[in-house]
Amino acid sequence: AGGKKNGKLSGYHPGELGAAVCDALIERQKINGAEVEDVVFGCLGQVGAQAANIARTVVLSSRLLPETVPGTSVDRQAGSSQQAIHAAAQAVMSGVHDCCIAGGVEVMSTVPIGANIIDGMKVGHGFPMTEAMTEKYKDKMKAFEQFGISSNAFSQFGGAELLAKKYNLSREDVDRFAAI
């Protein structure tokens, strides 16, 4: 799902949305927020309202989590929230923690996809791909051009199109699978 600029969630701060989910979870489980030993949140667009460790912002915005609860943010691109869940589960399974909250937040109405790259480039903070990466993958990225996608950078959209072509998946096939 993707948000649109000034969409329905644009009036909400990502930290407040995350805090509302954490508070609801704490209330539903009938635990004391002080029992939570860590909050791990995934977020790939860590810029603007989602910058400066959004997981910590979630904790500080919560009504039920004390400020002593730490928070850490994970960026594994489209798998960020899933990675946050894995990290929290590993902490519990290893015995490091007994109680963690894991999830993610991304308000694309406020911070659109690619904003962290585009905003950084606008102010001269550079491009995320190194010359070595560009050279190493330039031939493979040229395949994106057949779909009208720039070959100047990696693209999850281009990757999806290449996978669909390789495995002969139609839009209908993918939509049917998504509805399962």
Side-chain angles (χ1 to χ4, degrees):
K4 63 181 178 180
K5 189 173 177 80
N6 300 318
K8 291 185 180 193
L9 294 178
S10 64
Y12 297 95
H13 193 284
E16 292 169 350
L17 291 172
V21 171
C22 289
D23 290 346
L25 181 64
I26 290 166
E27 287 172 342
R28 184 180 321 143
Q29 297 305 313
K30 296 179 175 77
I31 63 169
N32 180 332
E35 293 177 52
V36 177
E37 296 169 286
D38 204 357
V39 173
V40 186
F41 260 53
C43 180
L44 75 88
Q46 295 187 38
V47 64
Q50 296 170 172
N53 190 1
I54 189 65
R56 185 68 180 142
T57 302
V58 165
V59 171
L60 296 175
S61 299
S62 167
R63 293 178 294 104
L64 302 176
L65 289 167
E67 65 184 29
T68 54
V69 175
T72 190
S73 300
V74 177
D75 176 357
R76 194 176 284 262
Q77 297 299 285
S80 297
S81 297
Q82 183 69 47
Q83 184 62 50
I85 292 166
H86 288 290
Q90 290 167 348
V92 172
M93 291 167 69
S94 69
V96 172
H97 293 311
D98 291 318
C99 182
C100 297
I101 294 177
V105 66
E106 201 80 42
V107 181
M108 296 182 85
S109 296
T110 305
V111 182
I113 194 165
N116 53 346
I117 296 169
I118 294 165
D119 292 354
M121 289 176 60
K122 282 181 183 175
V123 295
H125 292 166
F127 188 67
M129 288 185 64
T130 65
E131 287 182 25
M133 288 170 63
T134 303
E135 183 62 30
K136 184 176 182 179
Y137 295 104
K138 70 180 177 185
D139 293 334
K140 291 182 180 190
M141 290 190 304
K142 282 183 183 174
F144 296 157
E145 292 173 0
Q146 65 186 302
F147 308 113
I149 298 171
S150 171
S151 61
N152 293 329
F154 292 119
S155 167
Q156 67 182 5
F157 309 110
E161 293 289 354
L162 289 171
L163 287 169
K165 184 176 179 180
K166 178 178 180 176
Y167 294 106
N168 197 31
L169 298 170
S170 69
R171 173 65 186 254
E172 292 75 26
D173 291 336
V174 176
D175 285 347
R176 200 169 28 261
F177 177 77
I180 294 175

